[in-house]
Amino acid sequence: MTNPRTIKTALSGAFPHHFTACMFLAMLAGCSEPTIQKLEGPAQGTTYHISYWSESPVDDKAVKDAVENEFAAIDKLLSNYRPDSTIETFNSIENTDSQEVGGEIVSLVKIAQVVNQASQGCYDLTIKPLFDLWGFKGNALTIPKDSTILATLKQIGMEKLEIVDDTHLRKKQADLKVDLSSIAQGYSVERISKVLEQKGISNYLVEIGGELKTNGYKPGLQPWRIAVERPLPEERTMHKVVTMPKDSPMAVMTSGTYRHYFDDQGRRYSHILDARNGRPVGHNLVSATVLIADPTVADAWSTALLCLGAKDGMAAANMAKIPALFIELQGSELIESRSDALNTLNTLTLH
């Protein structure tokens, strides 16, 4: 379930190394050293990394099995790359009848509607036909004619997608197609986090393709520390370090234009498409990072802010009180700006 329109990045150095701490246990005469357990593997067209530890005994195999089962369930629900998924079944039925899609997808559409309105339509789940038109699905650039873009835009619009009730959606236009990839990885991070919590784990870092969430802390009361990548295509170095809160959950979601793009006859085409005009964005914002507790909401917002660009994105983030870090590329220089909510956020440090 890849999303070439947005790239969520984190350095391999962002993943915590093994830490140990000596903790007194009343049942034992001596010192126990809780160890960070790690799970990793392929998922959703990318990779996942999970780090966790617990003062109480945990069945690590049961955790691994539960995580893999959850990934399989999410894939069956949200993947645009398998025809039997719930969302692709919805897309394939070209009528305007109410269709049952389940509460999970309806909840994602509700979040997307809010972000769509806040971004003045730049962010849109129904952008799939435009994405296919430009050749991004097959990773081969096809520059369409203006007339073709205008014709395809007639298929686009969140206002054409109706929430009937908590489990049903309806297309107001029969050929409407929905692509959840701009919100699905954040949602997946939350779902996997819940799996850990159900297993009694409250100290963890969950990362999928650079989308991540932490809760609690590392052994020895040390905070999780996250690296934000320097947003340049020729580099994979650390740009910022986020020291996460120890007493509350926090997600870090970054969308960037600097990994997935096409160069054609001296012009660069981003995989970020503006749903309002059907074209790749042309501004110089290369990275937008959102830092809030809910990874699903953060995922949608990071995409929307990147779509809007620095000026309009900043206005939207300030209006919605979203903590966001913007990085623009001006010539060869990276210019940072922070939203009002990020400037006043005191639960973490970003340096």
Side-chain angles (χ1 to χ4, degrees):
M1 192 164 42
T2 58
N3 179 21
R5 286 181 288 113
T6 60
I7 283 294
K8 320 296 184 179
T9 58
L11 285 176
S12 59
F15 311 134
H17 299 290
H18 287 285
F19 281 81
T20 59
C22 184
M23 300 181 66
F24 176 77
L25 299 179
M27 299 287 293
L28 298 174
C31 186
S32 177
E33 297 182 340
T35 302
I36 292 179
Q37 303 298 317
K38 292 180 179 289
L39 297 175
E40 59 184 40
Q44 302 180 346
T46 182
T47 59
Y48 74 89
H49 299 78
I50 299 170
S51 299
Y52 68 90
W53 71 279
S54 176
E55 295 178 18
S56 303
V58 173
D59 185 338
D60 295 323
K61 184 181 184 303
V63 173
K64 184 176 187 296
D65 291 344
V67 165
E68 291 178 350
N69 290 338
E70 194 73 356
F71 272 125
I74 296 168
D75 191 59
K76 182 66 168 63
L77 184 68
L78 304 181
S79 177
N80 286 113
Y81 291 88
R82 52 183 295 177
D84 63 337
S85 70
T86 302
I87 194 60
E88 276 305 295
T89 299
F90 175 78
N91 285 340
S92 67
I93 299 174
E94 296 195 348
N95 62 41
T96 57
D97 298 337
S98 173
Q99 296 187 49
E100 184 172 2
V101 296
E104 298 94 339
I105 288 178
V106 171
S107 69
L108 294 181
V109 171
K110 286 180 179 178
I111 292 170
Q113 284 179 334
V114 173
V115 180
N116 170 262
Q117 293 174 5
S119 67
Q120 300 177 348
C122 195
Y123 175 82
D124 195 312
L125 294 184
T126 69
I127 202 171
K128 190 175 188 296
L130 281 169
F131 190 69
D132 295 343
L133 177 67
W134 281 87
F136 294 162
K137 180 179 179 181
N139 204 33
L141 177 67
T142 301
I143 302 175
K145 296 180 179 179
D146 291 350
S147 59
T148 307
I149 294 174
L150 289 174
T152 306
L153 279 170
K154 294 179 181 178
Q155 291 181 254
I156 310 302
M158 284 289 289
E159 73 279 359
K160 299 173 184 177
L161 183 63
E162 178 187 356
I163 296 176
V164 178
D165 57 32
D166 288 344
T167 57
H168 290 75
L169 296 175
R170 186 179 76 84
K171 303 175 185 178
K172 295 181 180 179
Q173 184 171 311
D175 61 354
L176 200 69
K177 309 292 182 186
V178 176
D179 185 343
L180 296 168
S181 57
S182 63
I183 195 171
Q185 275 187 350
Y187 174 69
S188 300
V189 168
E190 182 65 11
R191 285 271 296 258
I192 298 301
S193 297
K194 294 301 182 187
V195 168
L196 299 181
E197 291 171 7
Q198 289 164 6
K199 295 295 183 181
I201 299 166
S202 58
N203 299 294
Y204 58 78
L205 183 155
V206 174
E207 177 268 336
I208 306 172
E211 307 272 31
L212 60 89
K213 175 186 176 182
T214 66
N215 195 67
Y217 44 85
K218 293 183 288 188
L221 295 175
Q222 296 300 308
W224 300 105
R225 298 177 75 241
I226 307 302
V228 176
E229 192 175 56
R230 186 171 174 82
L232 293 174
E234 68 276 7
E235 295 187 19
R236 283 197 179 272
T237 57
M238 183 177 65
H239 183 72
K240 290 287 182 182
V241 174
V242 186
T243 301
M244 306 292 272
K246 293 188 288 186
D247 56 358
S248 61
M250 182 62 67
V252 179
M253 303 284 158
T254 299
S255 292
T257 62
Y258 56 98
R259 287 290 175 222
H260 281 194
Y261 54 83
F262 291 112
D263 285 326
D264 183 76
Q265 298 181 359
R267 181 176 177 182
R268 179 159 293 183
Y269 293 86
S270 168
H271 277 218
I272 307 299
L273 290 172
D274 188 332
R276 299 170 295 186
N277 59 29
R279 300 175 183 278
V281 297
H283 53 65
N284 61 358
L285 181 65
V286 291
S287 173
T289 299
V290 172
L291 304 98
I292 56 177
D294 189 328
T296 310
V297 176
D299 196 2
W301 265 105
S302 67
T303 307
L305 297 179
L306 187 67
C307 183
L308 285 168
K311 181 180 178 182
D312 292 343
M314 182 67 76
N318 286 339
M319 178 69 69
K321 297 180 173 56
I322 298 295
L325 172 69
F326 299 86
I327 304 178
E328 298 174 81
L329 181 61
Q330 297 182 5
S332 60
E333 188 176 2
L334 293 174
I335 306 298
E336 284 188 13
S337 54
R338 303 186 183 198
S339 68
D340 294 341
L342 182 57
N343 280 327
T344 58
L345 188 64
N346 57 14
T347 58
L348 55 76
T349 60
L350 180 63
H351 56 82

